[in-house]
Amino acid sequence: MSTLTPVLSSPGWELLESLQARQGTTPVPLPELAGALRSSGVPAELAAAVVTQLALRHAARAKFGPIASHMVFTRDGLEQATRLVVAARFRDAGVRRVADLGCGIGADSVAIAGLGMGVLAVDIDPEAAQAAAANLRDFDDAQVRLGDVMDLDIAELAGDGVDAIFADPARRTGAARGSSRITDPERWSPPLSSTLRWAQTISAVGVKVAPGIAYDRIPPTWHAQWVSVGGDLVEASLWSPALAPEGPGRSCLLLDESGAAHGISSRDGQEANAPAEVVDVVPLGNTIAEPDPAVIRSGMLAQLARRVGAGIVSPSIAYLTGDDLPASPFYDRFEVLEVTNLRAKAISAALRTLDVGSVEIKKRGADIDPEALRKSLKLSGVGQATVIATRVDGRHRAIVCRRLPANL
């Protein structure tokens, strides 16, 4: 029996909802709650299922916000799901009905349905399909189907009114096999090549992909976009021309916690599978900047460097530098205070001179353990600093710096 089954019908659903409301006002540690439920006569299987859902809902709040408290999840589904940031693209293209193929727990289907479009959600995993059905329960024009998306007749879907497809291929092995990432797109389920071919029948197709996807896997006429929220890279998607008003190419989209959006797109005429532009190496300036991961993954670092008049500190190292880099939503800035050898003794001496008592350690292009380095530092001051372990013009260095406010 599915681990979801106990909470998808009475009395499990009512118990879950009542405990969810109680946890919002007078939270109880979940292990303690599980024991209390069993002691009160709740069957062990139901108690475990309810507590599991409460834990998954809590973990999901970082991705879904308050709506997570009204959804159900599987562990694999929560691993795969990302924030709800893609539905508006379908709406803006005038789409009426979307087939969400490989829907998982239905997170993207909920977003699409919430914007007034019809949804056909399909997944091969019975638990995921159950979760999707529960999460879409309030939408009349939403249908959930259990099945293998590779068995679907895409022409038949089009004949049934589906005018767009969104595919989220499974890119992990599943909890039973360690939930490890699958790096080869042709081993995803369904394979990337299969999802791309669907656009030959239904022109509006979006495919969620791994953020580390190689550019040469992207169709040149499509648009690839990497999205970060609050500085965390949360997803990457490929969009067929019918869903890409930006035209072919690549872009990054940064959303901050207030909902403001900032983006950089590739130059007009650049194909989506073009190599990333090379950024000039320049001497370390008074300021060093750590770009948002969406900027780096999308290959927009050169665009950003030109925009702010910066270069990089060393070949293939994505730290920007300059004498007076302006504030930008696309990176965090640091004032360079001192540069020293990448050795604990030299770094400790520099930090003592600056009266530093606590540090954050960042690294890129340096084979160190940040926590081990932190423990080896001898600090006695009261100030704060950041130590960046990296290469400067090809040589390993520790850059001691001070984080600059984002609004200056």
Side-chain angles (χ1 to χ4, degrees), residues 14 23 56 93 109 112 116 154 169 219 227 233 239 242 281 286 300 346:
E14 290 79 10
Q23 289 293 95
L56 292 173
S109 290
I112 293 165
I154 302 302
V227 178
L233 181 60
W239 302 99
V281 176
N286 298 326
M300 295 299 105

Side-chain angles (χ1 to χ4, degrees), residues 231 288-297 301 312-320 330-332 334 342 361-368 370 387-392 395-399:
I288 188 168
E290 181 180 40
D292 187 281
V295 173
I296 299 170
R297 290 287 195 177
L301 191 62
I312 53 176
V313 297
S314 196
S316 302
I317 301 295
Y319 282 124
L320 295 176
F330 296 104
Y331 51 60
D332 292 331
F334 303 85
L342 188 52
I361 298 176
K362 295 178 172 291
K363 72 164 189 171
R364 185 166 291 158
D367 186 17
I368 66 158
V387 174
I388 298 177
T390 188
R391 296 197 299 270
V392 177
R395 303 173 65 188
H396 284 95
R397 289 290 183 264
I399 304 172

Side-chain angles (χ1 to χ4, degrees), residues 38-296:
R38 290 192 296 269
S39 297
S40 67
V42 175
E45 183 180 69
L46 177 55
V50 167
V51 171
T52 295
Q53 283 304 309
L54 291 173
L56 292 173
R57 284 177 169 184
H58 179 76
R61 286 183 66 87
K63 293 182 176 182
F64 299 102
I67 194 176
S69 297
H70 305 285
M71 299 175 69
V72 295
F73 297 92
T74 65
R75 294 192 185 280
D76 284 349
L78 184 55
E79 287 281 350
Q80 184 81 349
T82 55
R83 292 177 175 88
L84 315 178
V85 296
V86 301
R89 192 176 284 264
F90 290 102
R91 178 199 59 193
D92 295 345
V95 167
R96 297 181 302 277
R97 185 167 181 79
V98 180
D100 185 0
L101 304 185
C103 66
I105 59 176
D108 294 296
S109 290
V110 169
I112 293 165
L115 292 183
M117 290 167 279
V119 175
L120 169 63
V122 183
D123 203 279
I124 195 172
D125 181 82
E127 281 197 344
Q130 281 185 298
N135 293 330
L136 289 163
R137 63 190 179 277
D138 294 328
F139 298 100
D140 293 335
D141 197 15
Q143 175 189 357
V144 178
R145 185 183 301 175
L146 176 64
D148 188 341
V149 300
M150 294 301 293
D151 293 336
L152 294 172
D153 185 324
I154 302 302
E156 185 176 309
L157 291 182
D160 290 340
V162 169
D163 55 352
I165 292 174
F166 185 61
D168 187 1
R171 301 182 298 278
R172 304 187 74 91
T173 59
R177 288 178 286 166
S179 194
S180 59
R181 289 185 177 89
I182 301 172
T183 57
D184 181 0
E186 289 308 298
R187 292 181 55 227
W188 295 347
S189 182
L192 179 60
S193 59
S194 297
T195 63
L196 298 178
R197 281 196 298 271
W198 293 336
Q200 298 172 8
T201 304
I202 295 177
S203 63
V205 174
V207 185
K208 196 173 290 186
V209 296
I213 187 171
Y215 298 154
D216 61 11
R217 296 280 193 165
I218 304 171
T221 60
W222 287 42
H223 189 89
Q225 185 172 74
W226 284 255
V227 178
S228 73
V229 178
D232 293 328
L233 181 60
V234 297
E235 67 182 29
S237 300
L238 309 183
W239 302 99
S240 68
L243 291 171
E246 312 96 326
R250 298 192 302 272
S251 65
C252 62
L253 177 65
L254 281 56
L255 306 175
D256 63 27
E257 300 301 344
S258 70
H262 309 276
I264 303 176
S265 295
S266 53
R267 293 179 173 183
D268 289 345
Q270 186 178 53
E271 295 182 331
N273 59 357
E277 294 183 64
V278 175
V279 186
D280 291 336
V281 176
V282 300
L284 182 65
N286 298 326
T287 312
I288 188 168
E290 181 180 40
D292 187 281
V295 173
I296 299 170

